[in-house]
């Protein structure tokens, strides 16, 4: 089943009342999470993951996707109104949007942000519908050696694109993969790295690691700061939020460019919404007739950044659904959600579970419409959440996170593990070691090991199998080029020269 | 810059030590009868592969400590405004240490008493202590807020999702 026929089938599933309800719940919860400052999409999706338990897989995935999209939308609201980015992908929205708000143009900035996100998200999903099945057909030819090399390549790209030091990124990934080796080996039944601790025999669930590294660590980091109450909250009428003709003239070009570029970058492992927003902002500034105006409140820049975020979010689903490879922390959590629901994303998803994948893609269209409908009239309601004093919010998040970790195994021991990872996440942030690569390693570590072992079983222990197969060799070449280029950049353009001049 | 180099070297050393520990532990993993029947790598092979990667990367990081490549993650210069205008104020060093230590102690106590006092009692009490000690909230407000949050979480998890939460004296009964 392909193309338009498949999409129609997907809409039949997505438009079922129960699935519409799940999509609605997902986008509402996601937007609320996105509005909360300091709680990014990764943390938000991780702590809301338990809400999908007990539901049938299609509905649960629709809710998860809604949470993901909603969190992206919600982050722009606090950026524009309070100069507090809901997450890192909204930083550039804060730059321009807050300046617009200071000029009394917060409402059209919010409106253009929502509309631009909707347009880009819709086109991104169209591109996803077109490209994903084609890539899935190619991926069906992959065997264990190809998958193993593809995973190594993906780790390297994520470390290269989304961190400022590829070596730290790779260390983080490998540490994450190591975590997946703790517990009983599924192939031989031997316990590894449990050191006699019974609670570790079943391994460490991904969600416990995610909650610890992101939610608990975030709370610990925020304990180092005081949180004064936010400024007076405004309310808006829908009419005020509709952009003017002049706003549209300024924004339509950036929206189109941001959609195409955002989608392409989003497809790459490591090419998440944050990087996309920086690249798109830089591109718009460089081609603008008035670059000096950037930073003073340019509505076209708000539109382009928000459009790129949503296009990248759609693009990130391409490798996730077709190869089972998430390219960012957030899609890593989504992948874990898929696995918890018994669905293994990858090329066979389109063959064996067309109802799930096309239902999910169709629900993304619907979710996009819901977000536009919700965000315009209800934005005043959503930002009332910010009236909650931070201490209450922090307590709620920590309790919710603790219960999320507990819900995996009903075992108090997992709470200690979550706390351990919370402390680890805090230390990693202090030492500037990136967290998303570790999360990626934890999600994909099991798949990496099984493909590694299957490959060497096929070749009777010979490592040459990775070099003898054209696709796996190609992935290894891409990996080596990425590593070498990054190391050359680090050595040639690193900060050592400035350090030496400070010393002398 | 000194701090960057120091931090990178701390990470490199820790990862180097971790690599050695993984390597030593991996070669000690016994091969079960099932493992000896298998062709291909044995139980400890993949962790050894990871240990070798950690060794290589940690040595490389130690040598290149403090250097930072050009990254697409680097924000445009306008983004500095967002950080400068941020309304969150860093606490003093001693205050930070006190808050972090208090939080960790509270969480440890919470996990210890949770199976005995049950979810509602332990969350309400420890939640209130969290608000009072870390955020200097009033006792009555803290107790009420913690109680409401406990009820909300109970409704969501126990009744909404069907996940049984620790009950009062659950650990003793079992």
């Amino acid at each position: 089943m392909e193309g338009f026929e498949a999409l129609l089938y997907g809409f039949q599933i997505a438009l079922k009342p129960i699935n519409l309800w799940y999509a609605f719940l997902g986008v509402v919860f996601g937007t609320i999470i996105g509005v909360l400052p300091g709680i990014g999409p990764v943390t938000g999706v991780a702590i809301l993951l338990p809400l999908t338990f007990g539901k049938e897989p299609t509905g649960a995935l629709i809710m998860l996707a809604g949470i993901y999209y909603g969190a992206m939308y919600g982050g722009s609201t606090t950026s524009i109104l309070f100069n507090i980015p809901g997450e890192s992908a909204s930083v550039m929205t804060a730059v321009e949007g807050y300046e617009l708000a200071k000029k009394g143009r917060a409402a059209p900035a919010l409106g253009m942000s929502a509309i631009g996100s909707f347009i880009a998200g819709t086109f991104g999903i169209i591109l996803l519908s077109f490209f994903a099945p084609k890539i899935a057909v190619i991926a069906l030819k992959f065997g264990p050696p190809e998958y193993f090399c593809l995973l190594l390549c993906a780790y390297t790209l994520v470390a290269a694109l989304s961190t400022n030091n590829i070596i730290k990124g790779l260390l983080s990934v490998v540490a994450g993969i190591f975590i997946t080796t703790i517990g009983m080996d599924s192939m031989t039944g031997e316990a590894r790295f449990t050191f006699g601790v019974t609670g570790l025999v079943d391994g460490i669930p991904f969600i416990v690691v995610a909650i610890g590294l992101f939610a608990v660590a975030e709370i610990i980091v925020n304990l180092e700061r005081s949180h004064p109450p936010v400024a007076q909250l405004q309310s808006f009428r829908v009419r005020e939020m509709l952009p003017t003709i002049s706003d549209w003239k300024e924004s339509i070009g950036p929206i189109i460019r941001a959609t195409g570029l955002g989608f392409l970058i989003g497809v790459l492992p490591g090419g998440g919404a944050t990087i996309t927003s920086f690249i798109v902002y830089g591109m718009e500034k460089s081609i603008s007739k008035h670059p000096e105006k950037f930073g003073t409140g340019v509505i076209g820049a708000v539109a382009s950044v928000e459009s790129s975020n949503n296009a990248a979010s759609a693009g990130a689903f391409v490798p996730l659904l077709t190869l089972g490879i998430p390219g960012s922390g957030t899609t890593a959590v989504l992948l874990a959600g898929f696995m918890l629901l018994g669905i293994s994303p990858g090329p066979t998803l389109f063959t064996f579970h067309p109802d799930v994948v096309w239902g999910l893609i169709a629900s993304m269209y619907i979710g996009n419409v819901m977000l536009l409908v919700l965000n315009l009239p209800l934005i005043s309601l959503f930002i009332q959440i910010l009236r909650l004093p931070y201490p209450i919010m922090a307590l709620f998040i920590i309790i919710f996170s603790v219960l999320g970790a507990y819900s995996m195994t009903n075992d108090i021991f997992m709470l200690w593990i979550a706390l351990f990872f919370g402390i680890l996440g805090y230390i990693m942030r202090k030492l500037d070691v990136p967290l998303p690569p570790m999360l990626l390693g934890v999600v994909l570590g099991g798949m990496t090991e099984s493909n590694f072992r299957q490959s060497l079983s096929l070749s009777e222990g010979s490592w040459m199998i990775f070099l003898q197969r054209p696709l796996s060799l190609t992935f290894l070449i891409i990996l080596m080029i990425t590593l070498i280029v990054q190391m050359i950049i680090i050595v040639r353009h690193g900060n050592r020269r400035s350090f030496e001049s400070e010393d002398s | 810059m000194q701090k960057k180099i120091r931090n990178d070297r701390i990470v490199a050393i820790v990862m180097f030590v971790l690599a050695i520990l993984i390597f030593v532990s991996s070669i000690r993993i016994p091969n079960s009868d099932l493992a000896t029947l298998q062709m291909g790598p044995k139980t400890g092979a993949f962790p050894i592969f990871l240990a070798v990667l950690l060794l290589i990367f940690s040595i490389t990081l130690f040598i290149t400590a403090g250097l930072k490549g050009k990254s697409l993650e680097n924000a445009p210069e306008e983004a500095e405004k967002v950080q400068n205008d941020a309304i969150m104020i860093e606490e003093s060093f001693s205050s930070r240490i006190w808050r972090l230590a208090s939080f960790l102690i509270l969480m440890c106590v919470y996990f210890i008493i949770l199976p005995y006092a049950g979810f509602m009692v332990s969350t309400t009490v420890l939640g209130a202590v969290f608000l009072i000690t870390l955020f200097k909230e009033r006792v009555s407000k803290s107790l009420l807020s913690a109680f409401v949050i406990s009820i909300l979480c109970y409704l969501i998890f126990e009744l909404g999702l069907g996940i049984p939460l620790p009950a009062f004296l659950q650990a003793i009964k079992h």
Side-chain angles (χ1 to χ4, degrees):
Chain A
M1 195 192 304
E2 271 194 29
F4 193 62
E5 187 192 324
L7 199 53
L8 279 180
Y9 175 62
F11 272 109
Q12 279 180 354
I13 295 165
L15 286 169
K16 286 182 187 171
I18 189 70
N19 289 335
L20 284 173
W21 171 241
Y22 288 146
F24 174 75
L25 283 180
V27 300
V28 167
F29 286 136
T31 306
I32 291 171
I33 283 291
V35 164
L36 293 175
I39 306 297
V42 182
T43 311
V45 176
I47 63 178
L48 290 176
L49 200 55
L51 293 180
T52 62
F53 292 168
K55 297 177 178 49
E56 57 92 26
T58 308
L61 288 174
I62 286 172
M63 185 190 274
L64 266 182
I67 292 169
Y68 176 48
Y69 257 68
M72 302 301 297
Y73 267 113
S76 60
T77 308
T78 54
S79 301
I80 292 167
L81 294 178
F82 306 113
N83 199 27
I84 305 172
E87 20 95 31
S88 55
S90 299
V91 166
M92 301 319 293
T93 308
V95 168
E96 301 293 342
Y98 188 60
E99 293 300 319
L100 282 164
K102 286 201 281 190
K103 292 177 188 171
R105 299 211 71 218
L110 288 168
M112 184 53 82
S113 165
I115 294 169
S117 297
F118 170 74
I119 295 172
T122 302
F123 277 105
I125 296 164
I126 292 172
L127 292 169
L128 166 68
S129 310
F130 177 73
F131 280 115
K134 294 183 174 15
I135 294 174
V137 168
I138 298 169
L140 279 169
K141 295 177 187 159
F142 289 6
E146 285 79 14
Y147 253 111
F148 178 70
C149 295
L150 173 64
L151 285 164
L152 294 185
C153 186
Y155 294 141
T156 311
L157 281 171
V158 169
L161 292 179
S162 63
T163 71
N164 60 21
N165 187 318
I166 188 174
I167 301 301
K168 279 197 205 171
L170 288 170
L171 279 169
S172 185
V173 165
V174 176
I177 298 172
F178 167 68
I179 291 166
T180 66
T181 63
I182 297 172
M184 193 176 294
D185 177 21
S186 55
M187 284 175 130
T188 62
E190 283 296 328
R192 296 186 298 190
F193 312 110
T194 57
F195 305 110
V197 177
T198 321
L200 291 177
V201 168
D202 289 330
I204 301 176
F206 161 83
I207 195 70
V208 173
V209 177
I211 284 172
L213 282 181
F214 288 89
V216 178
E218 184 68 34
I219 297 291
I220 297 175
V221 166
N222 281 319
L223 286 175
E224 294 187 305
R225 303 165 184 155
S226 59
H227 298 262
V230 293
Q232 192 173 356
L233 302 172
Q234 307 169 52
S235 59
F236 305 100
R237 289 193 201 134
V238 177
R239 205 187 317 162
E240 291 167 4
M241 296 173 74
L242 296 175
T244 62
I245 293 177
S246 163
D247 291 336
W248 273 111
K249 279 185 187 169
E250 236 186 282
S251 304
I252 196 66
I255 288 174
I256 292 169
R257 287 188 288 271
T259 301
L261 189 58
F263 182 83
L264 285 174
I265 297 173
V267 168
L268 294 175
T274 306
I275 292 167
T276 313
S277 66
F278 295 156
I279 293 174
V280 160
Y281 184 88
M283 178 189 73
E284 288 300 321
K285 186 178 175 183
S286 64
I287 65 175
S288 170
K289 288 177 190 165
H290 300 284
E292 71 282 357
K293 287 190 180 175
F294 276 67
T296 66
V298 175
I299 199 163
V302 172
S304 76
V305 169
E306 286 301 309
S307 301
S308 70
N309 286 350
N310 278 271
S313 302
F317 273 86
V318 172
L320 177 65
L321 293 178
T322 59
L323 301 170
I325 291 178
S328 64
T330 320
T331 43
V333 180
L334 285 176
L335 175 64
F338 275 68
M339 288 173 171
L340 283 171
L341 295 163
I343 307 280
S344 293
T348 55
L349 190 66
F350 285 81
T351 315
F352 295 126
H353 297 284
D355 52 331
V356 173
V357 68
W358 288 108
L360 176 64
I361 293 174
S363 77
M364 287 163 75
Y365 285 102
I366 296 166
N368 226 16
V369 172
M370 283 184 184
L371 279 165
L372 183 69
V373 166
L374 282 176
N375 269 271
L376 285 183
L378 296 183
I379 213 140
S380 304
L381 196 62
F382 280 125
I383 61 175
Q384 297 305 316
I385 293 161
L386 294 170
R387 281 181 172 270
L388 275 176
Y390 177 75
I392 309 292
M393 257 196 273
L395 180 61
F396 180 74
I397 289 166
I398 200 78
I399 299 301
F400 204 91
S401 303
V402 161
L403 291 180
Y406 178 79
S407 64
M408 289 305 303
T409 56
N410 285 8
D411 185 357
I412 301 281
F413 180 72
M414 283 301 140
L415 302 184
W416 293 100
I417 301 291
L419 183 63
F420 168 79
F421 279 103
I423 297 167
L424 179 66
Y426 169 76
I427 294 170
M428 285 172 72
R429 284 172 71 156
K430 286 293 171 187
L431 293 174
D432 200 25
V433 179
L435 296 177
M438 177 176 273
L439 203 61
L440 202 67
V442 173
V443 175
L444 294 176
M447 197 195 301
T448 309
E449 179 174 9
S450 68
N451 282 293
F452 171 79
R453 290 166 86 166
Q454 283 172 34
S455 302
L456 292 180
S457 292
L458 281 171
S459 64
E460 296 178 1
S462 168
W463 288 67
M464 290 303 292
I465 190 171
F466 300 117
L467 301 175
Q468 286 164 348
R469 292 164 77 127
L471 275 174
S472 54
L473 179 62
T474 307
F475 293 134
L476 286 176
I477 291 171
I478 295 171
L479 183 162
M480 290 311 300
I481 292 173
T482 309
L483 262 177
I484 291 168
V485 166
Q486 284 292 313
M487 287 311 299
I488 291 172
I489 290 172
I490 285 174
V491 171
R492 277 199 180 164
H493 299 288
N495 289 342
R496 186 158 282 177
R497 199 168 293 163
S498 60
F499 169 66
E500 286 170 357
S501 65
E502 279 167 32
D503 252 5
S504 56
Chain B
M1 188 62 195
Q2 278 277 33
K3 191 179 170 189
K4 274 195 179 56
I5 292 179
R6 185 198 68 203
N7 286 349
D8 283 358
R9 288 200 166 145
I10 290 171
V11 172
I13 291 167
V14 168
M15 288 300 185
F16 186 87
V17 169
L18 179 65
I20 301 292
L21 289 172
I22 293 172
F23 187 85
V24 169
S25 301
S26 299
I27 56 179
R28 286 180 178 179
I29 294 172
N31 284 318
S32 65
D33 292 337
L34 190 60
T36 52
L37 290 172
Q38 281 192 320
M39 292 160 69
K42 303 298 182 221
T43 313
F46 188 67
I48 290 174
F49 171 69
L50 297 178
V52 170
L53 289 178
L54 281 176
L55 275 171
I56 296 170
F57 295 145
S58 58
I59 292 169
T60 310
L61 180 64
F62 193 88
I63 295 168
T64 59
L67 298 182
K68 192 170 90 166
K70 281 184 184 176
S71 167
L72 298 174
E73 185 77 359
N74 291 336
E77 58 192 19
E78 286 86 353
E80 282 178 20
K81 253 202 249 180
V82 176
Q83 290 171 345
N84 292 338
D85 290 352
I87 62 169
M88 287 185 282
I89 303 152
E90 280 233 338
E91 298 271 342
S92 66
F93 180 73
S94 57
S95 174
R96 274 187 276 151
I97 296 293
W98 154 248
R99 287 160 76 103
L100 295 181
S102 302
F103 173 75
L104 292 176
I105 292 168
L106 269 172
M107 294 307 291
C108 291
V109 171
Y110 180 52
F111 296 158
I112 291 168
I113 71 170
L114 188 60
Y116 298 98
F119 171 74
M120 287 301 302
V121 170
S122 43
T123 305
T124 304
V125 170
L126 273 296
V129 173
F130 173 86
L131 292 171
I132 295 165
T133 53
L134 291 174
F135 296 101
K136 311 280 188 277
E137 298 285 343
R138 289 197 320 267
V139 174
S140 53
K141 183 183 170 187
S142 302
L143 277 168
L144 182 64
S145 305
F147 180 68
V148 169
I149 289 171
S150 305
I151 293 280
L152 197 57
C153 290
Y154 178 84
L155 289 172
I156 293 171
F157 280 86
E158 181 105 23
L159 297 182
L161 299 175
I163 295 167
L165 298 178
F168 185 61
L169 297 180
Q170 175 176 295
I172 293 172
K173 282 176 195 168
H174 289 130

